[in-house]
């Protein structure tokens, strides 16, 4: 018997799911046992009927649109992948470059159809790229116009890009990490007029699901499995389990917890550490990425204290290192994630394949790394910090805390920098700073002030981390505190309107060791002058001739060339020496999955086939693994 799926009303309790009065509407008459209900972290979508993902107009992206309806040439999974990290999706093979990387050929998969029955061919690719070449203001107009000289289709299943300059990583634009440049249906858009004004409602899907219905007020979106799902790229891995997938505005963290405990929210995108701990104790059908503490999924994103290196005093490496040596990462871990953090001493997030390519191989070098304070040499790296965090947690959490070194490293990280106020003093003094009474003064006699910009309530975990770091600096005699940029952090970050900021300028593929996803953008050619907007992702505005040389060498080698990993390690060592930002931890997401209606979710121990965080486009692969609970 079919049950009605409620978006805003609990089935098993008189408690409201998302609040009391805002929403008493039903989503749709779809059967609960065939429906996967997922939190959309974008919340309520302002322009709910806007599905033109190529034009930005207040429409949603994580509503299921880019997870279930879109498709791209390639995907790189942030974890292990269903059949390896790399997946040829719309493309039938990897990108084919000529010798000097000025031309890229793409062979397309045959037999893939749009949801309205029209076959996907090279004509769609040419139309998508040419439209971006001819139109300013589309989501991917700038990278296409910077890179592409021309595009052609020798036959219906082959596309040739001629590039304006050598670029061995051009394919990254069409390769999904979180998203990528999606393909447009030529037969729809060519009749629609201005692509910047076309709502694309209802959307024609290239994925295994098509739009069933949505709330005009933007609170829920329901997608339905296509009858012809076998004519999509996902079919290579089997039939998707859920017949329907609903993406809903799940409200604040406490409402998400209540909803899942009443089995009306199958996947919580993210909740607070406290909410996760409550569910671990009380909700026997709920679980995170790790079966026990720390529960959360470490995204391939590195949370850090990012310095504005165009700040007169923060240009000096000694000053940056002094500030790093005042940070007690154990206290930051406890303040931010209540200990459920995965720490990293290097400029690479400790997740996916990175520990085996970077953290592990580089640790012997870290153990011997020295800093000259001007009075002595110190070895700042302590390989036991991760274990120290677990030792702090074990008296309270007991057997939930792993003891095996490899499990500790995977969940909590490896080593970090030892707090060393004496070394910090020596480095500041060498830089010309003086301590007068309890206050550190700059070389020109002003109070040394470093404020940390945070997001406030919209990202409480990172805000708590910033508050703890500022407190540690303040206790040392530096004028420090937090500046709350609620709703404006992205703008201030791009403008360089900060001394230091808690954010990330390092985002990686996760499952693939190549670091160009973020590293190429750190080249000095992209650094904006003070006062002008900084293009992503070098928010620290750091320039270094050695860094430029590394990046230029990366551009000259193939994506899978082992030389790329060697160059990646060179970058890591340079970033350790220079400390342009203080790496803290991966951005851990408390994604919580309920086994009441569905089984087969990814997890760290037995099924690390993809990231469970449901706003990532890679979660389309989760659909073929999910099976209804019998």
């Amino acid at each position: 018997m079919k049950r009605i799926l409620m978006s805003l009303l609990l089935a098993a309790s008189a408690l409201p799911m998302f609040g009391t009065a805002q929403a008493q509407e039903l989503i749709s008459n779809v059967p609960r046992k065939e429906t996967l209900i997922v939190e959309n972290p974008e919340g309520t979508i302002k322009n709910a009927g806007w599905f033109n993902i190529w034009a930005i107009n207040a429409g949603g992206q994580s509503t299921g649109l880019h997870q279930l309806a879109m498709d791209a040439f390639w995907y790189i999974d942030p974890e292990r992948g269903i059949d390896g990290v790399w997946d040829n999706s719309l493309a039938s093979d990897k990108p084919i470059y000529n010798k000097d990387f000025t031309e890229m050929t793409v062979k397309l998969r045959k037999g893939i159809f749009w949801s309205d029955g029209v076959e996907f061919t090279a004509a769609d690719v040419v139309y998508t790229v040419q439209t971006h070449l001819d139109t300013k203001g589309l989501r991917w107009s700038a990278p296409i116009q910077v890179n592409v000289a021309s595009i052609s289709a020798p036959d219906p299943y082959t596309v040739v890009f001629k590039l304006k300059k050598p670029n061995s990583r051009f394919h990254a634009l069409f390769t999904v990490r979180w998203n990528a440049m999606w393909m447009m249906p030529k037969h729809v858009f060519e009749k629609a007029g201005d692509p910047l004004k076309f709502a694309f409602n209802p959307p024609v899907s290239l994925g295994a699901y098509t739009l069933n219905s949505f709330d005009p007020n933007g609170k829920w979106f329901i997608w339905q499995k296509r009858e012809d799902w076998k004519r999509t790229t996902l079919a290579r891995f089997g039939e998707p389990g859920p017949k329907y997938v609903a993406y809903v505005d799940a409200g604040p963290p406490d409402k998400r917890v209540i909803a899942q405990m009443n089995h009306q929210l199958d996947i919580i995108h993210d909740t607070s550490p406290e909410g996760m701990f409550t569910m671990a104790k009380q909700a026997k059908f709920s679980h995170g990425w790790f079966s026990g503490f720390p529960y959360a999924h470490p995204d391939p994103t590195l949370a850090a204290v990012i310095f504005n290196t165009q700040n007169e005093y923060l240009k000096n490496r000694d000053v940056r290192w002094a500030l790093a040596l005042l940070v007690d990462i154990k206290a930051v871990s406890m303040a931010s994630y209540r200990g459920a953090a995965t720490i990293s001493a290097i400029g690479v997030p400790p997740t996916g394949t990175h520990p085996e390519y970077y953290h592990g191989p580089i640790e012997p070098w870290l153990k011997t790394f020295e800093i000259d304070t001007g009075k002595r040499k110190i070895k700042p790296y302590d390989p036991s910090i991760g274990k120290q965090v677990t030792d702090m947690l074990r008296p309270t959490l007991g057997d939930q805390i792993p003891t095996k070194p490899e499990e500790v490293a995977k969940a909590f990280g490896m080593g970090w920098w030892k707090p060393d106020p004496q070394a910090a003093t020596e480095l500041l003094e060498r830089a010309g700073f003086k301590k007068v009474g309890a206050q550190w003064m700059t070389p020109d006699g002003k109070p040394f002030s470093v404020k940390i910009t945070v997001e406030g309530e919209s990202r409480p975990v990172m805000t708590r981390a910033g508050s703890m770091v500022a407190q540690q600096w303040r206790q040392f005699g530096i004028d420090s505190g937090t500046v709350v940029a609620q709703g404006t952090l992205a703008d201030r970050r791009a403008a360089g309107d900060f001394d230091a900021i808690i954010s990330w300028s390092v985002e990686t593929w996760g499952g693939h060791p190549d670091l160009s996803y973020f590293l190429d953008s750190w080249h000095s050619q992209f650094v904006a002058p003070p006062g002008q907007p900084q293009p992503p992702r070098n928010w620290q505005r750091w320039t270094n001739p050695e860094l430029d040389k590394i990046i230029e060498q990366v551009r000259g080698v193939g994506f899978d060339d082992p030389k790329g990993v060697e160059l990646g390690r060179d970058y890591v060592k340079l970033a350790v020496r220079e400390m342009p930002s203080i790496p803290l931890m991966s951005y851990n997401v408390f994604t919580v999955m309920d086994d009441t209606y569905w089984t087969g979710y990814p997890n760290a121990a037995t099924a690390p086939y993809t990231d469970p965080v449901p706003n990532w486009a890679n979660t389309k692969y989760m659909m073929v693994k999910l099976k209804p609970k019998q």
Side-chain angles (χ1 to χ4, degrees):
M1 179 179 179
K2 291 187 175 182
R3 297 181 184 177
I4 296 177
L5 170 61
M6 299 182 178
S7 74
L8 308 166
L9 190 66
L10 290 172
S13 170
L15 290 172
M17 179 176 174
F18 303 126
T20 51
Q22 295 103 313
Q24 303 297 328
E25 299 178 5
L26 305 179
I27 286 184
S28 184
N29 190 21
V30 294
R32 177 67 180 97
K33 289 184 178 180
E34 295 180 273
T35 306
L36 179 75
I37 310 177
V38 182
E39 176 197 348
N40 171 21
E42 293 174 302
T44 298
I45 305 303
K46 292 179 182 178
N47 190 358
W50 186 268
F51 295 95
N52 181 351
I53 200 169
W54 302 272
I56 302 170
N57 191 7
Q61 192 167 350
S62 300
T63 58
L65 181 61
H66 84 164
Q67 302 100 313
L68 303 181
M70 298 291 125
D71 210 342
F73 293 155
W74 305 285
Y75 283 68
I76 293 180
D77 200 86
E79 288 296 335
R80 300 291 172 171
I82 289 181
D83 186 24
V85 167
W86 180 281
D87 182 44
N88 296 314
S89 193
L90 289 175
S92 61
D93 203 349
K94 287 190 172 184
I96 304 166
Y97 286 98
N98 63 354
K99 278 189 175 183
D100 65 356
F101 299 106
T102 58
E103 187 175 293
M104 183 181 80
T105 299
V106 182
K107 296 291 186 180
L108 299 180
R109 194 176 294 281
K110 299 178 182 179
I112 304 302
F113 286 79
W114 297 96
S115 58
D116 62 0
V118 176
E119 186 180 10
F120 168 76
T121 68
D124 295 303
V125 180
V126 172
Y127 179 85
T128 300
V129 174
Q130 194 63 51
T131 299
H132 280 75
L133 279 172
D134 297 340
T135 310
K136 291 184 178 180
L138 290 170
R139 192 181 294 269
W140 291 280
S141 291
I144 286 292
Q145 291 172 11
V146 165
N147 283 284
V148 179
S150 65
I151 182 171
S152 61
D155 63 65
Y157 304 103
T158 304
V159 180
V160 179
F161 294 84
K162 291 191 181 297
L163 307 181
K164 292 181 178 179
K165 57 186 178 182
N167 186 349
S168 64
R169 302 298 189 273
F170 176 65
H171 66 275
L173 183 61
F174 302 94
T175 306
V176 175
R177 173 199 183 258
W178 182 79
N179 72 349
M181 186 173 178
W182 310 108
M183 293 297 108
M184 304 169 78
K186 175 179 183 291
H187 65 285
V188 175
F189 271 81
E190 66 183 355
K191 301 173 185 176
D194 188 345
L196 290 166
K197 297 179 180 178
F198 178 48
F200 194 39
N201 181 7
V204 177
S205 170
L206 199 52
Y209 289 80
T210 191
L211 187 67
N212 171 285
S213 55
F214 69 95
D215 174 21
N217 296 315
K219 292 193 175 293
W220 51 263
F221 296 77
I222 297 179
W223 301 82
Q224 182 173 348
K225 182 166 55 179
R226 286 169 51 174
E227 290 185 4
D228 66 338
W229 60 267
K230 290 184 178 179
R231 300 204 298 180
T232 69
T233 61
L234 195 60
R236 292 168 293 128
F237 302 104
E239 181 176 0
K243 183 175 181 180
Y244 303 94
V245 185
Y247 290 81
V248 303
D249 176 358
D254 58 333
K255 302 302 182 185
R256 300 171 212 163
V257 169
I258 292 171
Q260 187 164 106
M261 292 181 74
N262 284 279
H263 311 303
Q264 289 299 312
L265 184 61
D266 296 310
I267 304 178
I268 296 175
H269 171 266
D270 194 13
T271 188
S272 64
E274 295 79 10
M276 180 70 250
F277 304 157
T278 296
M279 299 194 75
K281 291 180 181 178
Q282 299 181 17
K284 68 176 183 178
F285 292 109
S286 295
H287 60 88
W289 173 249
F290 292 101
S291 58
F293 200 92
Y295 307 109
H297 179 270
D299 271 8
T301 301
L302 185 70
V305 179
I306 297 174
F307 295 119
N308 181 350
T309 62
Q310 290 177 339
N311 177 302
E312 183 63 32
Y313 306 114
L314 299 176
K315 290 179 181 179
N316 190 319
R317 173 180 61 185
D318 287 345
V319 175
R320 299 194 298 262
W321 253 110
L323 291 168
L325 292 173
L326 295 172
V327 175
D328 181 348
I329 193 65
K330 298 191 297 296
V332 175
S333 172
M334 295 302 293
S336 58
Y337 282 104
R338 307 305 189 229
T342 312
I343 63 173
S344 178
I346 64 174
V348 179
T351 186
T353 60
H354 298 330
E356 64 191 77
Y357 284 102
Y358 295 104
H359 297 79
I362 284 175
E363 186 165 57
W365 179 85
L366 292 174
K367 290 177 180 178
T368 62
F369 170 70
E370 291 184 333
I371 293 176
D372 186 344
T373 70
K375 294 186 177 179
R376 59 197 171 101
K377 290 184 178 180
I378 63 166
K379 292 182 179 179
Y381 182 74
D382 183 347
S384 70
I385 297 287
K387 180 180 181 301
Q388 291 177 38
V389 173
T390 63
D391 291 343
M392 292 169 58
L393 295 167
R394 192 168 287 109
T396 303
L397 296 170
D399 292 342
Q400 292 188 59
I401 304 301
T403 56
K404 294 181 179 178
E406 63 273 15
E407 293 178 359
V408 169
K410 186 175 184 180
F412 296 91
M414 300 170 71
W416 212 78
W417 313 111
K418 291 175 283 192
D420 193 336
Q422 182 57 40
T425 297
E426 293 165 6
L427 286 167
L428 286 176
E429 288 176 344
R430 186 166 74 169
F433 290 68
K434 293 181 181 179
K435 195 168 190 181
V436 179
Q439 172 70 55
W440 277 95
M441 309 299 285
T442 64
D444 53 1
K446 299 176 182 177
F448 182 34
S449 178
V450 186
K451 300 296 173 67
I452 301 178
T453 300
V454 296
E455 278 188 83
E457 294 179 1
S458 61
R459 209 177 292 274
V461 170
M462 292 295 99
T463 297
R464 295 195 300 241
S467 297
M468 176 54 69
V469 173
Q471 177 183 322
Q472 292 169 351
W473 289 348
R474 191 166 56 250
Q475 288 173 342
F476 183 70
I478 296 169
D479 176 22
S480 188
T482 58
V483 176
V484 177
Q486 183 87 17
T488 64
L489 184 133
D491 293 336
R492 295 187 67 168
R493 184 178 63 186
D497 183 17
F498 62 90
D499 299 326
I501 192 168
I502 296 285
S503 188
W504 41 80
S505 56
V506 172
E507 298 175 271
T508 64
W509 295 107
H512 194 286
D514 182 79
L515 300 182
S516 63
Y517 187 84
F518 77 93
L519 190 57
D520 194 78
S521 68
W522 283 26
H523 195 281
S524 63
Q525 73 184 98
F526 301 122
V527 174
Q532 294 188 18
Q534 172 65 33
R537 299 184 174 79
N538 186 1
W539 308 122
Q540 58 275 347
R541 299 173 177 233
W542 176 48
T543 63
N544 185 289
E546 189 176 343
L547 176 67
D548 283 353
K549 184 178 178 181
I550 291 170
I551 293 170
E552 288 158 11
Q553 287 179 281
V554 169
R555 290 173 177 174
V557 301
F559 190 66
D560 295 316
D561 192 323
K563 179 68 174 175
V565 175
E566 293 178 26
L567 292 166
R569 292 172 184 166
D570 290 342
Y571 143 76
V572 169
K573 293 175 182 178
L574 176 64
V576 166
R577 293 193 296 269
E578 295 291 328
M579 196 60 71
S581 62
I582 305 175
L584 298 176
M585 59 197 85
S586 60
Y587 186 69
N588 282 9
V589 183
F590 290 97
T591 298
V592 197
M593 297 153 277
D594 180 11
D595 286 330
T596 301
Y597 288 99
W598 301 98
T599 62
Y601 298 106
N603 66 78
T606 60
Y609 63 85
T610 196
D611 180 344
V613 186
N615 68 332
W616 285 57
N618 291 332
T619 52
K620 75 172 187 176
Y621 296 103
M622 191 191 306
M623 300 305 156
V624 299
K625 290 289 190 177
L626 292 180
K627 305 300 178 187
K629 188 75 170 287
Q630 299 301 319

